[in-house]
């Protein structure tokens, strides 16, 4: 049976009218490396986002979940290593909610490591000619929240899924009025996410590769 | 009785002949805001560093432990929020050891949050005229390692200590041959660390302040 | 009669196997905003580059000359304001020649301002959704050299041409092994250069627009 | 007879209440490497600044003029190579005047190169442990203006002076609310400017050294 991968993208938030995450997800092929891609737009809202993903997991029983989010200011596609049990909003979410130093789940782990082969993803994205790096923080906003929530669902309810998150930079259009800020095109986002998903499929059942991608600080 | 704070600094590593962490620690006052400062140099070695700190904690019974380390490329003094259960060396440590994706303790938590009032520390450092920000990743090298190890000691053996980590930038002298890299002077490091420790003392028993210091990504 | 615009791009230099300048120039339309585009590859060599452009100007009698070059590390398409009478190579050129503090022409002006409407170009590039900014230095390598040389030709021999230079960032593929370095896709380069040329045509005979694009330092 | 060096610093402008330029100048020794230092505060105003410097040159007959200014966002002390005949204000000056694309002097050269030994200055500053680099643009605001004006005075009226400009970064206190912006301490500014002046004295009559300090773009 075909592998199923649920890929989500957030809608626009803050001052931006567009979010490269959902735009790139919409443009992914229906099938990547033989796996069926299920696409899902999720709202940039702390609580609702998790409910929407939960419903999709319950309905679709995907093998993998890959959440995609915008990381303004980053230079590269960055698969995330870890999600932490904390909401700490720099700005309010799209529901007007701005938690400060809130624990997400009192009975959840302090953090969860991803099950995705992030180093293999980084390698494949680079081989596609797109900059990529392992990230060790998904921030403290809705992106970290959804990554944590999906891991929590895995911990408590769906032990068979493997899940993770990848951040992508601003689009060129978003940095026209943000001098000195890096960007990446939508076409390159699609190419890079496709390569990352191909790496997930290729490494299925084998764990990650052991390459030097650590960070001093 | 006087509060006791153990403050550690790493020795030089990689291409550098100096480490601002131990240099700044050496220059701290003996007493800050009424608390006794115990200074300790520790080696930039994954395993030995933790043993050295363990010995000092066992001997001194400090109320707080603050580990200081160099974060080349950062612009500000950055108290760390969380340590993760992972060693992933970009370079070998001073013992020639370079773990890749190693779990630090199989029976440790995935991550530990600091007990230090990081937002109060950031506020006090800024009020001293030094740039500061909360960081959500201590990297995957010896700095994260020691932060994690001290938390593990707290979890298993010394439940009464409160502990955490702060990264500091390169010194100006270290960036002379690294164009486009920020730095901070040793005098400002000392001023900022002193302010951070004063914040720790001032908030003792009250937890952290609730300011907006979250990170989107 | 149709306006003629000579657009040049340099070949690869230094450690790179590709130069976005010539790649983008090759992909420009044959006609932009009614003007005929004459494309020319030029070598990244201090002396030969000027001879090649001189030959093309003498043969084609273009109304405008726009030289395009790679500026690794820049975030945006940057029309240059001024060329200076100086060669000061950080690295050797493709002929192995590395001048240090050489005057280009003893009888040339200390610098020449471009005749291109750089602020109108910046505005049009941004309206195409691509980041852009006026630059006040073309460096001291072959890019500044060719910009200066074409101005010198204008000063001494071809008073009717209007000329200028635009720098473009690295391609994504070029930054895969240069972490923390911005890039722009070839498609966006082509879109941005096309918009810049449309601005040149639209402002022909009217000079530049008066927008706030100055630089404090 | 002792060599005389006129060193000027601008007063605060824009959103800042302090300008490291005048603060550093005030703290310079009275004599550096045997040369008498004459210190002068000048207003951040396009027109008045030049009158104030002109008066001081006429009164003091210095051998050298070194103007110091703040370059927010730079990482290093940057001696300037060239001043251009253009005022293009991103913001209004302290008199509320904001020229856009104005020629400074219709009978002045397009640009003037400094007479200061900028590469020797860079070398000496680095040897003092402070980051430094040659800059090829002084911007288009009051800093470039005063550098150009002093060169114009030299061209037309005071042929014996040698003159130039150096930019210095923000102070740490100025970047507390500007995350991701580099800074340098006032003590390091003073140390670096002192080293630069020592280099000026040491190279007097010999011109600059020939080191590799060019910029690709």
């Amino acid at each position: 049976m075909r592998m199923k991968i649920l890929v989500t993208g957030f809608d626009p938030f803050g001052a931006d009218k567009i979010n490269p995450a959902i735009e790139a997800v919409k443009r992914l092929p229906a099938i990547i490396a033989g796996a069926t891609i299920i696409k899902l737009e999720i709202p940039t809202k702390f609580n609702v986002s998790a409910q929407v993903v939960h419903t999709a997991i319950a309905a679709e029983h995907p093998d993998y979940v890959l959440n995609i989010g915008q990381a303004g200011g980053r230079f590269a596609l960055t698969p995330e290593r870890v999600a932490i049990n904390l909401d700490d909003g720099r700005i309010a979410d799209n529901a007007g909610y701005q938690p400060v130093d809130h624990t997400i789940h009192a009975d959840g782990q302090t953090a969860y490591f991803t099950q995705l082969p992030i180093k293999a993803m980084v390698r494949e994205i680079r081989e596609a000619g797109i900059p990529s790096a392992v990230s060790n923080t998904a921030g403290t906003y809705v992106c970290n929240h959804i990554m944590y929530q999906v891991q929590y669902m895995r911990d408590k309810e769906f032990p068979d899924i493997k899940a993770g998150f990848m951040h992508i930079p601003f689009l060129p259009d978003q940095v026209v009025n943000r001098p000195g800020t890096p960007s990446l095109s939508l076409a390159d986002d699609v190419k890079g996410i496709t390569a990352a998903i191909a790496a997930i499929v290729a490494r299925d059942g084998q764990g990650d590769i052991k390459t030097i991608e650590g960070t001093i600080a």
Side-chain angles (χ1 to χ4, degrees), chain A:
Chain A
M1 210 179 90
R2 243 183 223 297
M3 192 183 293
K4 256 190 183 178
I5 305 183
L6 175 63
V7 186
T8 77
F10 283 107
D11 63 2
F13 66 93
D16 290 286
K17 303 293 175 229
I18 192 169
N19 189 326
I22 185 56
E23 297 305 321
V25 169
K26 279 183 201 165
R27 285 161 179 79
L28 290 175
I31 295 176
I32 297 176
T36 301
I37 305 305
I38 304 160
K39 305 171 186 182
L40 181 66
E41 177 165 344
I42 59 178
T44 301
K45 298 178 181 174
F46 279 96
N47 298 320
V48 186
S49 61
Q51 296 162 19
V52 172
V53 176
H54 185 275
T55 300
I57 293 174
E60 297 283 355
H61 300 292
D63 300 281
Y64 287 90
V65 178
L66 174 62
N67 304 112
I68 307 284
Q70 165 190 299
R74 292 201 186 168
F75 293 80
L77 302 193
T78 48
E80 295 291 346
R81 198 191 290 262
V82 64
I84 61 174
N85 191 1
L86 187 87
D87 288 340
D88 196 20
R90 172 160 294 273
I91 58 174
D93 70 9
N94 284 351
Y97 173 61
Q98 185 175 9
V100 173
D101 287 336
H102 283 205
T103 297
I104 301 175
H105 285 290
D107 68 340
Q109 292 187 23
T110 303
Y112 294 104
F113 287 112
T114 186
Q115 294 77 41
L116 301 186
I118 51 175
K119 291 182 173 181
M121 292 162 72
V122 164
R123 187 179 63 178
E124 283 301 301
I125 295 167
R126 287 182 187 151
E127 282 179 10
I130 314 290
S132 184
V134 170
S135 168
N136 299 301
T137 174
T140 61
Y141 193 54
V142 183
C143 290
N144 174 74
H145 181 88
I146 198 68
M147 182 179 175
Y148 185 89
Q149 288 277 28
V150 177
Q151 291 293 330
Y152 180 84
M153 293 175 208
R154 179 180 184 274
D155 190 15
K156 304 296 185 189
E157 190 178 355
F158 305 115
D160 293 337
I161 59 169
K162 299 189 186 76
F165 193 98
M166 187 159 71
H167 270 114
I168 65 178
F170 279 135
L171 298 172
D173 186 57
Q174 294 179 286
V175 302
V176 159
N177 294 310
R178 288 171 165 125
T181 308
S183 64
L184 210 60
S185 73
L186 196 50
D188 285 333
D189 287 338
V190 171
K191 200 192 296 185
I193 297 170
T194 301
I197 292 173
I200 291 171
V201 174
R203 296 299 304 176
D204 185 51
Q206 304 171 75
D208 202 354
I209 58 175
K210 293 282 179 194
T211 48
I212 307 298
E213 299 289 346
T215 298
I216 291 178

